[in-house]
Amino acid sequence: MQKRLVGTVSRGLRAPIIKEGDDLKKIVVDTVLQAEKAGEFIIRNRDVLAVTESIVARSQNNYATLDEIAKSLRNKLDAEGYSGQPLGLVFPIMSRNRFAICLKAIARAVDKLVLLLGYPSDEVGNHLVDLDLLDEKGINPYTDVLNQEQFESMFGKSRHPFTGMDYINYYKELAEAEGCDVEIYFSKNPKAIVKYTDCVLACDTHTRHRTKKLAAKAGAKIVLSMDDIMTESVEGSGYNPDFGLLGSNKASEDRVKLFPINCQDFVNSIQTSIKEATGKDIEVMIYGDGAFKDPVGKIWELADPVVSPGYTAGLEGTPNEIKLKYIADNEFKDLKGEELQKAMRDYIEEKAKAASSVEDDMLKQGTTPRRLTDLIGSLCDLTSGSGDKGTPFVYIQGYFDHYTD
């Protein structure tokens, strides 16, 4: 039998430019079948087909204008008994694509904003100030609340290391251009907001539930988060019942693209269509941001609320793997060459499949016990990129293979 020399392969599949109303399911299935027909690969059981969330939302026409967002927010505030007090925005991320566009809409809904910015960095790792500078000044972001004048007198104007943006003043100018007064404070403690207002909008993503809980405990009377806005259509707009504005992206100067909806139906239907066309059972997922951290800019690449908003059942769970190098260095440390290869194959076939959990089995420690969708989503995000590759579909083979296959 010929030995396989290639393991996991991730391919970006080129596709037409997707527009609002396109039959995305047909485009995805046709692209995969045409790629196989062209000899790019042979479809096999347990292959993984991933589709970027951006084009799913685009094909669904899941957009909202700034006025629609402002109206949605105002409706939520009024329902909570809003009486015109300043709205406190807690822990917005520093992003022109993600939050700046939303900030313009939020500013249209109220007369005054109080921004509480997390420092030294925002939730996804965009730094406002270097940690060493905090140490030099003896500042503790969990206990020391700074206003904008204090912050800039100690640390100067904040500049993003990659874009050069001064997000602090950029955000202030955006809100003021909408006729909204703005105050800016800095703290890592969400409770600090109640000194300035009892009406709070948690703008963080992954820590929003804690932020809301702590703000309410500190005395906030109205506590909302970004997933409370645009949860239903506003006069025919797009919406997302699960995530609201979370996961949204700037589409134009006056419109955002929301996170896609009906994702589970979409992936299941593609899986069924591929099965009908080929007889093969593949897994399908929708992916957004990968879940990885840049070692230079220190940005954690996960501004979306989840890596995958929809995936087929075979992608549930975590990898069931063992650490080859650990076994090689311990169980078979005296073996080499073909003898080692055979011993390793036999070991995997006989023992690895019996291991039940990462926590209970030392042989699996260090094998990245993360969810499959998070791991594969990172692979897809790196494969497709965010620029002009034109490959919004990613086809992965061999991901579930192991050493004996």
Side-chain angles (χ1 to χ4, degrees), residues 260-280:
I261 59 176
N262 302 324
C263 295
Q264 198 59 50
D265 291 342
F266 179 76
V267 296
N268 287 341
S269 67
I270 290 178
Q271 184 183 53
T272 298
S273 294
I274 295 292
K275 173 73 170 180
E276 291 172 350
T278 67
K280 302 298 183 181

Side-chain angles (χ1 to χ4, degrees), residues 267-377:
V267 296
N268 287 341
S269 67
I270 290 178
Q271 184 183 53
T272 298
S273 294
I274 295 292
K275 173 73 170 180
E276 291 172 350
T278 67
K280 302 298 183 181
D281 291 302
I282 71 168
E283 305 298 341
V284 185
M285 65 180 283
I286 297 170
Y287 70 97
D289 279 344
F292 48 84
K293 184 173 181 177
D294 177 72
V296 177
K298 298 180 176 60
I299 298 171
W300 183 41
E301 187 65 25
L302 186 53
D304 288 329
V306 292
V307 173
S308 177
Y311 52 89
T312 50
L315 296 177
E316 188 65 56
T318 59
N320 183 27
E321 300 172 345
I322 62 172
K323 200 74 169 178
L324 288 183
K325 61 186 179 183
Y326 178 83
I327 299 171
D329 290 342
N330 290 272
E331 298 274 338
F332 306 128
K333 61 183 179 181
D334 297 324
L335 301 181
K336 292 183 179 181
E338 183 57 37
E339 187 179 10
L340 174 60
Q341 311 301 321
K342 183 180 185 305
M344 192 72 76
R345 287 193 295 268
D346 292 344
Y347 187 93
I348 291 173
E349 290 178 347
E350 294 173 12
K351 297 188 66 175
K353 294 179 182 177
S356 59
S357 71
V358 173
E359 291 79 11
D360 295 338
D361 192 348
M362 178 61 195
L363 301 176
K364 299 174 87 175
Q365 289 191 17
T367 56
T368 316
R370 293 166 56 194
R371 291 181 298 186
L372 286 167
T373 50
D374 293 344
L375 290 165
I376 298 172

Side-chain angles (χ1 to χ4, degrees), residues 63-76 101-109 226 229-230 234 237-238 245 248-249 254-258:
Y63 293 86
T65 66
L66 301 191
D67 285 340
E68 290 162 347
I69 294 170
K71 185 170 184 178
S72 175
L73 172 59
R74 192 56 191 251
N75 288 342
K76 294 287 185 180
I101 187 74
C102 295
L103 176 60
K104 292 172 65 176
I106 293 168
R108 291 183 187 182
M226 297 284 278
I229 309 171
M230 297 308 304
V234 176
S237 73
L245 272 183
S248 62
N249 279 272
D254 190 58
R255 191 168 76 143
V256 303
K257 176 183 60 58
L258 302 171

